[in-house]
Amino acid sequence: MTDNNQKSYRELHKPKEQFASREEYLEHELTIMAPRRWALNLPFRDYRFELEDWVPAMAATIGKIVMVAAVVAAFAGPLGLSSEFVIENARFEMLIAALLFVLLFSGVFNPTANLAGTHGPLIPLIPLIVASGGHPMALGIMVGVLGFVLGISKGGSLLARLTSDGVCGGLLLYLGFIGVTSQIKSLFAWANGFDMGYVAFVIVFATIVMYAYLEHIRMRWLAIPLGAILAAVIAFALGAPFEFSTEPGIPNLNPAYWWGEDTGWKLGLPEFQHFVAVAPFAVLAVAMWSPDFLGHRIFQELNYPPKAKKVLMNIDDTMCIAAARQAVGTALGGGNLTSSWGTYMVPAAIAKRPIPAGAILTGLLCVIAAVWGYPMDLAIWPPVLSVALLVGVYLPLLEAGMQMTREGKTSQSAAIVIFSSALVNPVFGWSLTMLLDNLGLIGDKERGQGLGHRDRWIIPGVVFLILCGVMAAIGMFPGIPALLESFRALA
């Protein structure tokens, strides 16, 4: 049962045939669900599986394979580890995520917590982390501890409340645009690599037409599977090279193997100096969580009906579970860096589906891909990967950002976010614009005047100063040398 004197989900559920459209049925499902927080949630009693749940599950699995492999490869390169190590560790990480966290937490015990995914924005910094003497286990444990502190203290939801629609919308626009341009460039680089650049052009053009048509018939939730199939068929038909190379098997599950001095990472266990070396990066990684998590919840709010409050993502619970997933995964030997799973949440919101059913399907697909091996090759094939990310994540981010910045007040803040993010990075842009917006210097001035001193300038100011201090220390400000000597030598 839900709260006292209320009917259960099973009692409120109605057959699809009683609704005039599929969209009405799905929105009704969202409004009658009442997930139990930190309690047992069972399929068919508390939620149902629908065809639409396969869409975020497919997108999340493709995204997971790519992002985990990218993180592990970023560590493996500077450490001199082989490509076989990257695939083996990525398969191990997928099993950890699916069996220990996605299925148990997002699928059963806390369906308002988004899946714990991968921290993509931190990937460019990994070579610098290794060069500065950082250890993957030290970094993972520190991120886990700091993330848990932020989640348990409800710091994530606090920062979300202090971020206006204009700031969040501008952040979504920036991330969406950067993502679209990077994927198109990546696709053309792949095609030009075998002197068939026209393959990329045909794929992108066909994807634009397909996406526009799906928007027209209000079936945008089909963009990921249809887009991936369309891209693969076009690439095959035009003669693009592809082969399966990852064979079926189960990765090594022994943590002692992964953290051995002569096996796995070949680093042994971290010492005190390793934790000191990764401390600035751990602070920055967790600071990146708030705008990331906020963007995912906002995406739900834009696509769900107004009454579907109970199924919205709980930012603080998501942070706690992501932190636990980070610490456990690292201790077992994985190389993933965790954040909220965007390639799941964005398509799930578009498909008007709550978290749990798709989470269970995602866990199932991740296990199949990790053990079978062959799906991993297909998922990281550039045409499939790029199109899935374009139509499943980055184009929807652009659309959501535009929705949130229609008014003149919000567009001011959005412009400053984009401007300042282009100067340094999205973390700098978010923290600076949140401070300026809450002070009433830009955006909705009445909103800023209605905030107390703590919310108006103390918390935003402290957050901005801390993040600027960390970024200045490790040399992230363009044209300004790192304040710490050890990082200055690595520039």
Side-chain angles (χ1 to χ4, degrees):
M1 296 289 290
T2 59
D3 298 333
N4 292 333
N5 301 321
Q6 290 185 350
K7 293 182 179 180
S8 68
Y9 165 79
R10 185 182 292 173
E11 292 172 318
L12 292 170
H13 173 76
K14 297 179 181 179
K16 306 175 183 66
E17 293 74 21
Q18 294 187 18
F19 296 88
S21 67
R22 182 71 178 175
E23 184 173 342
E24 285 185 22
Y25 167 72
L26 293 173
E27 290 192 348
H28 174 72
E29 286 288 293
L30 290 171
T31 58
I32 63 174
M33 278 187 61
R36 296 166 166 83
R37 183 170 175 261
W38 302 116
L40 193 63
N41 293 265
L42 298 176
F44 307 109
R45 187 193 72 179
D46 300 299
Y47 59 89
R48 288 175 178 265
F49 292 94
E50 301 291 345
L51 177 64
E52 288 84 353
D53 289 313
W54 285 104
V55 175
M58 290 175 58
T61 303
I62 292 172
K64 187 65 174 176
I65 293 170
V66 174
M67 297 304 292
V68 174
V71 171
V72 177
F75 275 116
L79 293 173
L81 301 171
S82 67
S83 58
E84 289 77 13
F85 167 86
V86 174
I87 293 296
E88 182 86 352
N89 196 266
R91 294 171 83 169
F92 182 40
E93 271 287 0
M94 291 179 68
L95 292 178
I96 293 172
L99 297 176
L100 299 184
F101 290 92
V102 171
L103 292 172
L104 287 179
F105 289 99
S106 297
V108 177
F109 292 111
N110 197 339
T112 55
N114 188 26
L115 288 61
T118 299
H119 205 328
L122 206 65
I123 293 175
L125 293 178
I126 291 176
L128 181 61
I129 296 171
V130 175
S132 64
H135 190 294
M137 179 184 271
L139 178 64
I141 290 175
M142 285 204 71
V143 169
V145 171
L146 293 176
F148 190 79
V149 170
L150 187 62
I152 204 72
S153 64
K154 299 188 181 299
S157 58
L158 171 62
L159 293 174
R161 288 196 303 272
L162 297 182
T163 305
S164 70
D165 285 352
V167 176
C168 190
L171 194 64
L172 295 180
L173 283 170
Y174 178 79
L175 295 174
F177 179 76
I178 292 299
V180 166
T181 54
S182 68
Q183 288 306 314
I184 291 177
K185 288 179 181 177
S186 175
L187 199 53
F188 273 94
W190 163 76
N192 289 327
F194 48 88
D195 298 323
M196 295 175 66
Y198 59 87
V199 173
F201 179 84
V202 174
I203 290 173
V204 175
F205 181 79
T207 301
I208 293 171
V209 174
M210 178 210 70
Y211 192 81
Y213 180 71
L214 290 176
E215 287 269 26
H216 174 67
I217 62 175
R218 300 178 65 85
M219 297 187 71
R220 188 175 53 152
W221 59 274
L222 283 173
I224 294 167
L226 290 184
I229 293 171
L230 179 66
V233 169
I234 292 174
F236 275 126
L238 295 180
F242 174 76
E243 63 177 356
F244 290 107
S245 58
T246 305
E247 297 181 354
I250 297 177
N252 196 308
L253 305 178
N254 184 3
Y257 164 81
W258 290 107
W259 295 119
E261 294 186 359
D262 301 310
T263 57
W265 290 93
K266 299 181 180 179
L267 294 173
L269 297 177
E271 298 180 358
F272 178 73
Q273 68 267 22
H274 295 123
F275 288 92
V276 173
V278 302
F281 299 101
V283 172
L284 189 62
V286 174
M288 290 179 179
W289 279 9
S290 288
D292 198 23
F293 286 45
L294 173 62
H296 296 162
R297 181 182 164 106
I298 289 292
F299 215 86
Q300 285 182 305
E301 294 175 351
L302 290 173
N303 288 275
Y304 287 0
K307 293 182 180 179
K309 300 294 185 184
K310 294 181 180 179
V311 294
L312 292 175
M313 166 183 161
N314 185 306
I315 292 178
D316 297 313
D317 287 351
T318 303
M319 283 191 174
C320 289
I321 292 173
R325 184 259 182 273
Q326 178 67 71
V328 171
T330 297
L332 292 176
N336 184 60
L337 293 173
T338 302
S339 185
S340 180
W341 200 324
T343 52
Y344 176 83
M345 181 57 78
V346 172
I350 293 172
K352 296 186 182 296
R353 294 300 297 148
I355 292 172
I360 290 179
L361 296 180
T362 300
L364 175 65
L365 290 181
C366 283
V367 171
I368 292 173
V371 175
W372 194 6
Y374 298 129
M376 298 189 69
D377 296 322
L378 189 59
I380 62 174
W381 195 31
V384 174
L385 163 65
S386 293
V387 169
L389 291 177
L390 280 169
V391 302
V393 179
Y394 298 124
L395 280 174
L397 286 179
L398 280 174
E399 292 182 18
M402 291 174 184
Q403 279 185 275
M404 298 183 70
T405 55
R406 288 177 176 174
E407 299 179 4
K409 295 177 181 179
T410 57
S411 61
Q412 293 176 7
S413 301
I416 297 298
V417 170
I418 295 170
F419 190 10
S420 51
S421 295
L423 174 63
V424 184
N425 58 40
V427 177
F428 177 82
W430 163 70
S431 58
L432 172 61
T433 313
M434 179 176 67
L435 174 60
L436 298 176
D437 188 82
N438 287 356
L439 286 173
L441 299 178
I442 56 174
D444 188 348
K445 296 177 175 57
E446 293 180 1
R447 175 184 172 275
Q449 292 171 358
L451 298 172
H453 289 302
R454 188 195 70 156
D455 293 345
R456 188 179 184 191
W457 64 271
I458 295 177
I459 293 177
V462 170
V463 169
F464 178 66
L465 290 175
I466 290 175
L467 293 179
C468 283
V470 171
M471 288 185 281
I474 62 180
M476 292 190 70
F477 289 137
I480 301 176
L483 298 181
L484 297 179
E485 188 72 33
S486 57
F487 291 100
R488 196 179 307 160
L490 299 172

